[in-house]
Amino acid sequence: MRPREFDHDDVLRIAFDQFWRNGVRGASMSDIARDTGVQRGSLYNAFGSKEALFLQAYERYAGDYLAALQKALGAGSLRKRLTAFFDLTVTNFRSGTPPRGCPTTRGLMELGAAEGEGLDEDARQAFAGLISRITALVQDTLSAGAERGEFNGNPAAAALHIITVTRGLAVLERAFGDEPQLRKIAAHTIDLLLGRTGG
Amino acid sequence: MRPREFDHDDVLRIAFDQFWRNGVRGASMSDIARDTGVQRGSLYNAFGSKEALFLQAYERYAGDYLAALQKALGAGSLRKRLTAFFDLTVTNFRSGTPPRGCPTTRGLMELGAAEGEGLDEDARQAFAGLISRITALVQDTLSAGAERGEFNGNPAAAALHIITVTRGLAVLERAFGDEPQLRKIAAHTIDLLLGRTGG
DNA sequence: CATGTTTTTGACAGCATGTCAAATATCTAC
DNA sequence: GTAGATATTTGACATGCTGTCAAAAACATG
């Protein structure tokens, strides 16, 4: 066999940065080839297609991001946990120069048809999978908070509400790019769920 | 002069349907040419570019949609108004076969760079403009409700919260296509803002 | 009926994804 | 050490996209 001349993980990292900054459709295989120093044909040989390359790169990101969220949700009062969760979310959306937004939300809205039909069903499942896992983390945190008497509502409904707000923040970030506004909305959401005082 | 062989408005309607179903990037000028019966070159002659065609088609849609929202927000108790608002929102996202989702949210997430740089700054402003106008409508409704004693919170903050949730609903619609779930989230949002009982 | 102006039409350039055959470089077996 | 097998690299190609342009066509106006 002839050995590969590039590092698999390096390519995934560099490719994902391209996808994140320019979108899956906006990033071209030529761009990725230029940035990685790997020729376009080699990328196709190694990954099969642009979508397959994206999926691998996305799974890498999803794992890292989920771990960071889990850590943010894991310490302090419920209010502190949720605050850390939203902080990390907004910071993630606003990372990069210029800010890159939310890759999950962007990827989701870039898809072809709706669920069921659609060629990029694999991508949709990857995006939906991360959202579901984040929702589960939040719900667990709320349930634990409820047992400690820090929250008295429906953890499932509240988690769904929170994930909805985070997706909305991703959209407003693209519309207005107003980071203080995003943080105000996040704080307001926590107040709505836990009450304005103490919590 | 030679007269135009097609109806300007017909083309805008048909083109927007293409954009709505397949996204701005996903819909090709060839598709629109086929559906309208107007040759590709004629479309470029009449509208200049795909983005310019989209912008005109989008403004048409935005005007109609805003009028429908205004009507939904204009009658009954505050709770009824907000319920009608969310109903219309979700129904709009789920219209078409297969459901077409939210064209504003999709268009926004399809854009190139973030605010400031980016070539499609005109499109971003069109999307942000509709979102801002909807937010203003909701805020007015909440303010009026507050004067009538139906709401005692901050109308500006609550309106921002509501618009954030609607953007989140647009994203979750693409992720899961679960319409009952969307309606539950909407109802829960109203309960959070107005209180679970009466309102 | 002739002239002028706009629309229409078809061909072209440039860039995208994806495919493929040929060339290349290493590993393995002897 | 050498020869063969095998996977990677490389460049050319097909196809589809946006956008441009010059030539042809069709109507309005004098």
Side-chain angles (χ1 to χ4, degrees):
Chain A
M1 302 207 321
R2 176 174 176 176
R4 207 158 264 170
E5 292 181 1
F6 59 86
D7 184 84
H8 200 264
D9 257 33
D10 285 350
V11 168
L12 289 185
R13 265 191 302 103
I14 295 173
F16 190 72
D17 185 61
Q18 270 287 336
F19 289 132
W20 197 351
R21 281 187 286 132
N22 301 335
V24 179
R25 275 196 163 106
S28 79
M29 291 296 266
S30 298
D31 294 337
I32 295 168
R34 175 178 31 76
D35 285 11
T36 57
V38 178
Q39 292 228 20
R40 219 165 49 83
S42 296
L43 293 175
Y44 277 100
N45 175 65
F47 297 98
S49 71
K50 182 170 151 178
E51 190 192 336
L53 168 58
F54 171 74
L55 283 176
Q56 284 195 36
Y58 181 76
E59 289 300 338
R60 234 192 97 87
Y61 159 81
D64 288 357
Y65 187 52
L66 205 62
L69 284 179
Q70 193 155 20
K71 189 177 167 192
L73 282 168
S77 67
L78 179 56
R79 182 179 288 270
K80 272 203 161 63
R81 289 171 197 238
L82 292 181
T83 301
F85 169 82
F86 275 113
D87 273 358
L88 181 56
T89 300
V90 171
T91 298
N92 190 47
F93 296 169
R94 297 295 289 171
S95 69
T97 49
R100 292 167 293 187
C102 173
T104 299
T105 303
R106 182 179 203 160
L108 216 28
M109 304 307 290
E110 269 185 339
L111 292 180
E115 41 93 42
E117 197 27 85
L119 292 172
D120 2 56
E121 181 64 18
D122 290 344
R124 209 208 92 248
Q125 276 188 16
F127 299 134
L130 179 57
I131 293 178
S132 294
R133 280 182 285 175
I134 295 174
T135 307
L137 282 184
V138 172
Q139 184 173 335
D140 289 350
T141 302
L142 289 169
S143 294
E147 282 180 19
R148 274 189 253 104
E150 296 181 277
F151 173 63
N152 77 347
N154 181 340
L160 213 47
H161 187 80
I162 287 175
I163 202 74
T164 304
V165 169
T166 64
R167 298 308 96 190
L169 291 176
V171 178
L172 293 194
E173 193 277 331
R174 291 289 98 176
F176 304 111
D178 184 345
E179 186 168 333
Q181 181 190 55
L182 302 182
R183 298 197 183 275
K184 269 182 221 155
I185 295 171
H188 180 69
T189 301
I190 295 175
D191 287 344
L192 271 181
L193 289 167
L194 300 187
R196 185 135 311 171
T197 59
Chain B
M1 301 207 320
R2 174 173 177 177
R4 206 158 265 169
E5 293 181 2
F6 59 86
D7 184 84
H8 201 263
D9 258 32
D10 286 350
V11 168
L12 288 186
R13 267 190 301 104
I14 295 173
F16 190 72
D17 184 62
Q18 270 287 335
F19 289 133
W20 198 349
R21 281 187 287 132
N22 302 335
V24 179
R25 273 193 161 110
S28 80
M29 291 297 266
S30 299
D31 293 336
I32 295 168
R34 174 177 32 74
D35 285 10
T36 58
V38 178
Q39 291 227 22
R40 218 165 51 85
S42 296
L43 292 175
Y44 277 100
N45 175 65
F47 297 98
S49 70
K50 181 171 151 178
E51 190 191 337
L53 169 57
F54 171 74
L55 282 176
Q56 286 194 37
Y58 182 75
E59 288 302 338
R60 233 192 98 87
Y61 159 81
D64 289 355
Y65 186 52
L66 205 61
L69 283 179
Q70 192 155 20
K71 189 178 167 191
L73 282 168
S77 67
L78 179 56
R79 181 177 290 269
K80 272 203 161 64
R81 290 171 196 237
L82 292 181
T83 301
F85 169 83
F86 275 113
D87 274 356
L88 181 56
T89 299
V90 172
T91 298
N92 190 46
F93 296 169
R94 297 295 290 171
S95 69
T97 48
R100 292 166 294 186
C102 172
T104 299
T105 303
R106 181 178 203 159
L108 215 29
M109 304 306 291
E110 270 185 338
L111 291 179
E115 41 93 40
E117 196 30 84
L119 293 171
D120 3 53
E121 181 62 18
D122 291 343
R124 208 208 92 249
Q125 277 188 17
F127 299 134
L130 179 56
I131 292 177
S132 295
R133 281 182 285 175
I134 295 174
T135 307
L137 282 185
V138 171
Q139 184 173 334
D140 289 350
T141 302
L142 289 169
S143 295
E147 282 181 18
R148 274 189 253 106
E150 297 180 277
F151 172 64
N152 77 346
N154 181 340
L160 213 47
H161 187 80
I162 287 174
I163 202 74
T164 304
V165 169
T166 64
R167 297 308 96 190
L169 292 176
V171 178
L172 293 195
E173 193 277 330
R174 290 289 98 174
F176 304 112
D178 184 345
E179 185 168 332
Q181 181 189 58
L182 303 181
R183 298 198 183 273
K184 268 183 220 155
I185 296 170
H188 179 70
T189 302
I190 296 176
D191 287 343
L192 272 179
L193 288 167
L194 300 188
R196 185 135 312 172
T197 59

